[in-house]
Structures are given as structure tokens and as C-alpha cells.
Amino acid sequence: MTVSKKDLNKISDYLWEIPRSYRSDMRVPARIYATGKMLDDIGRDRSLEQLINVTTLPGIQKNALVMPDAHEGYGFPIGGVAVTHYPDGVISPGGIGYDINCGVRLLKSNLYYEDARNYLSQLADELYKTIPSGVGRGGKLKLNSRELDEVLAGGVGWAVKKGYGEKEDMEHIESSGSLPEARPETVFKHAKNRGRDQLGTLGAGNHFLEIDRVDEIFDEDCAKAFGLYLNQIVILIHTGSRGLGHQVATDYIRIMNKAMPKYKISVPDRELVCVPFKSPEGQDYFSAMAAAANFAWTNRQLITWGIRKSWKKVLGNPGGELSILYDVAHNIAKIEEHTIMKHETCNTKQKLIVHRKGATRAFPEQPVIIPGSMGTASYVLVGTHTAMQETFGSTCHGAGRAMSRHAAKRSVDAGKLKRELEKKGIYVQAGSIRGLAEEAPQAYKDIDEVVNVVHNVGIALKVAKLRPLVVIKG
């Protein structure tokens, strides 16, 4: 059954709803944040069908949501948000994704663009040498079994104890860079082996490291509170849990596929595997996912350590220190308290299992970091009370793909793209020229349009716009 615009109820210029009556197995409505034009684009892949499938999950509450950067994913659409009842609802790996705790971190410098412009090429070279990137690429740090378990259990706290950061860093990371539910023994040997040498590495795909300048300020007071100002040099890190997180997802999707009949759960799409959260399989997956999330936060911490070393080497003392604005996940499941309207006169706050798959937490006054496509722009926003009421404290996570990687490879001349970026004053360091084509700006939606939607509905408000100066990719 293909979803068309006539099947949707228009709630506002930026919000649409597929009612429960659309399909007999839907337990809640489905909501889409998009303009009319974006909705047409979203309808070209299986995103809306996947969103409707999400509404069938046992224990799902209120509605299933998708953000304006939506595109087709594994089970859930990317850009999807869904909450299930705690502890009686299900947990679904498709609602987190293969790259567990893929996320972004923004580092702030004290330098203006004019102070740093003559050092950008040297910085690009030094960062590319210092931060390993590329498919399967490992780093210099090789963990033994005890050390790896300590990372999985402790997250960024482990890195700080080992001298890879300061305690203050943890104050500017979602969940202080560690989920306490992590149990290293729930991460299988093959997953651990894949991650043993990958701390401090970017990986490939859409992961990147960028040096940006603050190009525009939208909210002076909030920017000042965040320590952001016009023409400031900042550094953006986008990566996740690498091979370890991917293997955790693979392992538990297989386990859940076998376990679902035992719990009499059937789903409309085999990719939407799930089990009761409180089941042994559900608890083990949640603990393994938390461990992979801790690994990802530690990975971004080790990358930060490498960036700080490179920064000091190139700029010396005049470069000053790099501090963390914030680090936020956009592929994760967490236990949070949210208000659910039981009926017109009764709102109740309750614990829920919040799945965010290509969606960013956007709690009130929290920095929200939205990376754009290579060569365009990224944004810093701030979370709102509206997000708490409407989207379980969630917003978009990036531009969102408009073209598959295969299509991008076919249609984009990577060498020409690199030259065009350099003409715009953007230094590019990439391990694979062909890989650049997959991440070309034209392969993504318009980041300005995506951000304007979430700003206009009030689930995250614009604070600053960032323009890339250096792009480093695997």
C-alpha cells in the first residue's frame, strides 16, 4: 500500500499526520515534520511505509515521528523517533541503527577566522595524519581485553582517567559520556575484536571532521551563553561506535529474530525485529547498546585529544585551548521521563523507552548540533520545551540523504567535486576520492530547509550557522 498526500491530514504547514485508521494494525498515528515539497521527496522511498510499520510496535505510545531529514533506513526510517512503554514495551535495534551512538561533538576555539586562515592548510594536513580515517582503519591505541571492558563500562570517564581529557569535558557531553546500564559481558567477542584498535578513528561513509567558522548568529543571547561569536573558528566531529557498534547490532538482530516467536510478536517488516524490553534478550541488547554508546563517546573523546595535540603543534600557545560546546548522540535508545496525555484532563509523566534513529535529543536549553552536507553548512540550535511536549525532546540530526550512495557515485565526478570545493576555499583531505562522490552536497537535502522546519515548529531554535573551511573524510 503506497502512501499518498491525500492519505495525510495536514496539521500545519510543517506537520502532517497519517491517522490510525489508515491501516488496521496501526496502534498510534504517524506524524511527519516537513514542508509540502519535502513530503513529496520523502514519498519517493519507503520512509513513510517504514514509519507506519513502526506504529505497530507493541507498547508504542502517543505517535511515531519522523523529522524533515527523513530517508529510508533499516526497519525504522532514518529521522525516526518512537517511544514504547517502560518496562512492558519492546526495544528494537532498528530504532537505533547499526552505528550505535553515531553523534556529533563541537569544539570551540578562541580564535577568529583572520587569526587562523594562514594555518588552515597545515592544520588540514596535520589532522589528517593524526586522526585515522577510512573503512576498517584502526588507530595507534590497541586495547587489551581488560582495558576494552573498562571503556565499555565507563565511557569517557575511562579516557579522562587515562589523561585523554579533563573532568570538565564530561560536563559538556550527553549523559556525561557514559550510560550506567552498560555491561561489557553482553558485547560478544567478535564485536570487541572489531573495536579493539578503533578508538580515536573516524571511519568512512558520512563521518567527517571539519574546521568551520561561525558564519551567522541568529540568537545573540543564546550564542553568548554557548560561547559562540561571529567568525569564530570551531571544529566539528561526526562519527560513532565504528565496527564494534555495527557488530552489536548485527549480533542482536539475529538473536531477536529467533526470539520473537517465543514472545508471540509478529511485525509487518522482518527488519523491524524487536523483543520485550524486560525480556533477557531485551535487557542484554540494551546493555550491549549502552556499552557501544560508551565506546562511541570515548571514540569522540580520543579524537578530541588528537585534535588538541594537532592544534597545539600547528598554532602553539597563541592558538589557545579547544573546549567542548556539546556532544550529542543521534542513534540511541534511552530511558527518559516524558509527559503522556492519558485523556483531555490528565497528563501523566512516565518512564519511556525512547528510540532515536537519526534524531537528536533537544531538551530545553541544551545545545543541538546539526551537521550539514560536505561543503554546505552546519547549525547550532537550542532545544525547547515545545520539543518536550511534541517530540519527546527530539529534533532532526542532519540534512538527510536525497540520493543513494550508488546513485551519487554514478552521477558525481569526485575529482571535479574536490576542485570545486577548493575553489570555494574548502580544504579537502580524503582517503578515497570515490568516497567523496558518495557524500557530495547534491546527494543530500537542503540543510537550510531542514533546519527551518524544526525552527518554525519550535522543536529546536536556530542559534548559529557554521561554514566549512577544512573537511577530512575517510
Side-chain angles (χ1 to χ4, degrees):
M1 191 187 296
T2 304
V3 188
S4 67
K5 234 177 190 175
K6 66 178 180 4
D7 297 313
L8 279 65
N9 297 328
K10 184 177 180 180
I11 295 172
S12 75
D13 287 342
Y14 306 102
L15 180 58
W16 311 74
E17 183 174 274
I18 303 169
R20 277 186 66 185
S21 57
Y22 176 76
R23 215 171 76 185
S24 61
D25 57 348
M26 290 175 67
R27 299 173 190 261
V28 293
R31 287 194 162 190
I32 306 105
Y33 287 88
T35 62
K37 176 182 173 295
M38 285 177 163
L39 199 60
D40 292 335
D41 293 335
I42 292 168
R44 292 195 183 115
D45 65 19
R46 293 180 59 238
S47 297
L48 294 183
E49 180 190 339
Q50 288 185 327
L51 183 64
I52 291 165
N53 290 341
V54 170
T55 70
T56 71
L57 288 174
I60 191 167
Q61 302 290 297
K62 194 175 178 181
N63 47 45
L65 305 166
V66 79
M67 297 296 154
D69 51 341
H71 53 104
E72 186 177 331
Y74 182 91
F76 274 59
I78 294 164
V81 179
V83 306
T84 57
H85 186 268
Y86 174 88
D88 300 317
V90 296
I91 187 164
S92 173
I96 294 99
Y98 277 93
D99 192 0
I100 295 167
N101 189 4
C102 184
V104 283
R105 176 180 293 202
L106 189 69
L107 308 179
K108 301 178 292 178
S109 81
N110 298 318
L111 295 187
Y112 286 93
Y113 169 64
E114 289 301 320
D115 302 323
R117 64 185 301 177
N118 294 330
Y119 298 94
L120 291 175
S121 177
Q122 194 180 346
L123 272 170
D125 292 342
E126 189 62 34
L127 288 168
Y128 187 69
K129 281 192 295 184
T130 303
I131 313 297
S133 59
V135 177
R137 181 92 184 273
K140 291 178 181 175
L141 184 63
K142 307 256 190 314
L143 301 176
N144 61 38
S145 295
R146 179 183 54 79
E147 290 170 327
L148 182 55
D149 281 355
E150 287 172 355
V151 170
L152 297 175
V156 174
W158 174 89
V160 170
K161 281 180 191 171
K162 293 291 184 180
Y164 297 113
E166 306 297 328
K167 272 192 175 179
E168 185 186 357
D169 290 343
M170 296 167 67
E171 297 169 14
H172 303 281
I173 302 172
E174 180 182 345
S175 300
S176 300
S178 178
L179 294 182
E181 298 91 348
R183 288 185 289 130
E185 64 270 21
T186 60
V187 177
F188 298 123
K189 185 178 179 180
H190 184 38
K192 288 180 177 180
N193 286 338
R194 289 187 67 179
R196 202 174 292 280
D197 67 347
Q198 290 190 330
L199 278 186
T201 69
L202 272 178
N206 64 349
H207 297 154
F208 64 79
L209 189 161
E210 277 186 358
I211 301 176
D212 298 335
R213 70 177 170 86
V214 178
D215 187 56
E216 196 171 350
I217 298 287
F218 302 98
D219 184 327
E220 292 282 354
D221 290 340
C222 194
K224 188 175 179 182
F226 286 174
L228 297 174
Y229 51 86
L230 207 58
N231 285 316
Q232 179 184 16
I233 294 293
V234 295
I235 299 179
L236 188 60
I237 303 163
H238 176 216
T239 190
S241 51
R242 305 286 277 110
L244 182 143
H246 194 286
Q247 192 62 45
V248 165
T250 300
D251 290 341
Y252 280 94
I253 285 169
R254 185 173 61 248
I255 287 168
M256 289 187 189
N257 256 317
K258 292 177 181 174
M260 279 201 304
K262 177 169 64 174
Y263 299 110
K264 297 181 171 56
I265 294 174
S266 62
V267 289
D269 178 354
R270 65 178 184 82
E271 294 182 352
L272 203 64
V273 293
C274 59
V275 293
F277 179 77
K278 62 184 180 182
S279 69
E281 297 88 353
Q283 287 293 287
D284 283 353
Y285 168 70
F286 186 59
S287 294
M289 183 224 69
N294 290 350
F295 185 89
W297 275 312
T298 311
N299 186 29
R300 294 197 285 276
Q301 185 66 32
L302 267 289
I303 289 171
T304 299
W305 178 73
I307 291 168
R308 285 169 169 164
K309 275 178 55 181
S310 299
W311 183 264
K312 188 70 75 178
K313 182 175 180 179
V314 173
L315 294 163
N317 289 333
E321 301 299 324
L322 294 172
S323 60
I324 301 173
L325 170 61
Y326 204 58
D327 179 309
V328 66
H330 53 230
N331 281 358
I332 204 162
K334 298 179 83 173
I335 308 303
E336 296 173 356
E337 283 196 353
H338 291 277
T339 299
I340 297 282
M341 182 178 281
K342 290 297 182 184
H343 50 76
E344 289 181 5
T345 59
C346 178
N347 287 344
T348 61
K349 204 165 195 178
Q350 63 187 72
K351 280 187 175 181
L352 297 164
I353 306 154
V354 183
H355 298 73
R356 294 189 182 98
K357 200 264 193 70
T360 307
R361 195 181 76 167
F363 284 10
E365 300 179 15
Q366 174 212 301
V368 175
I369 304 159
I370 306 297
S373 59
M374 179 178 57
T376 57
S378 297
Y379 280 85
V380 177
L381 298 90
V382 63
T384 67
H385 290 284
T386 300
M388 300 304 285
Q389 296 161 7
E390 301 292 330
T391 61
F392 307 104
S394 309
T395 190
C396 62
H397 87 305
R401 291 198 77 92
M403 190 187 295
S404 73
R405 286 188 162 86
H406 291 302
K409 273 185 180 177
R410 286 195 303 269
S411 61
V412 176
D413 181 325
K416 184 180 176 185
L417 170 64
K418 189 171 187 288
R419 292 190 294 273
E420 286 171 353
L421 291 171
E422 287 171 350
K423 277 182 188 174
K424 292 179 182 178
I426 301 170
Y427 294 94
V428 179
Q429 286 278 20
S432 162
I433 286 292
R434 284 184 300 174
L436 273 184
E438 295 181 4
E439 301 303 316
Q442 55 266 47
Y444 284 84
K445 299 178 187 184
D446 185 324
I447 186 66
D448 298 332
E449 287 183 12
V450 169
V451 167
N452 282 339
V453 169
V454 300
H455 176 85
N456 288 331
V457 295
I459 58 175
L461 301 177
K462 293 192 287 188
V463 176
K465 188 175 187 176
L466 316 176
R467 289 285 182 191
L469 302 169
V470 170
V471 178
I472 294 169
K473 297 190 67 65

